[in-house]
Amino acid sequence: MDLEKLMQANLDLVFGERDPTRRIAAIRRIYDQNAELHEPQRSARGHEAISQAVADVLEHLPPDFVFTATRPASGHNGVGRLQWQAGPPGGPAAVTGTDVAHVEGGLIRALHVFLDQPDT
């Protein structure tokens, strides 16, 4: 899987999936078995822990929120970056951020999630 497809699959099939069975199946396809997820408030390691961390994020968002890439992923030498936004479909972005992934053997080995600071 190329970097663009991998990063987009993570956004759509992991962070965009509220069903835990479908989400863990996607994580098993696109994350290394011992992958790490680093979010601003916590880190998780392994498929089940990553799935739970994503579930915890989604629990605090309205059910109609969607994650959308704001431009294609970019990267090289096993490191990819994808900028995204989340909010109601067709509505204004409630949160924006960037995912930075370390990829080995076509799988995400580590994902760092950076949230943008709101304009004041």
Side-chain angles (χ1 to χ4, degrees):
M1 185 178 298
D2 71 27
L3 188 62
E4 168 67 22
K5 288 181 183 175
L6 187 65
M7 300 288 291
Q8 189 65 51
N10 182 62
L11 194 65
D12 295 339
L13 303 176
V14 176
F15 282 86
E17 182 56 69
R18 291 185 179 268
D19 179 86
T21 302
R22 288 193 299 261
R23 183 176 51 251
I24 193 73
I27 289 169
R28 288 182 177 135
R29 283 192 315 271
I30 65 176
Y31 279 80
D32 180 79
Q33 181 177 350
N34 294 311
E36 298 175 354
L37 169 65
H38 302 284
E39 297 178 311
Q41 301 301 319
R42 72 189 278 188
S43 293
R45 182 181 196 139
H47 292 159
E48 287 75 20
I50 290 170
S51 185
Q52 184 59 55
V54 173
D56 292 346
V57 168
L58 295 175
E59 181 179 292
H60 296 300
L61 298 176
D64 66 335
F65 268 34
V66 293
F67 287 85
T68 307
T70 57
R71 60 185 45 128
S74 62
H76 53 82
N77 299 323
V79 178
R81 178 185 73 191
L82 180 69
Q83 292 177 302
W84 52 265
Q85 64 182 21
V95 62
T96 60
T98 302
D99 289 348
V100 176
H102 176 220
V103 177
E104 290 180 4
L107 299 173
I108 296 173
R109 178 71 182 103
L111 181 73
H112 298 264
V113 178
F114 297 93
L115 300 179
D116 294 332
Q117 295 299 315
D119 295 331
T120 55

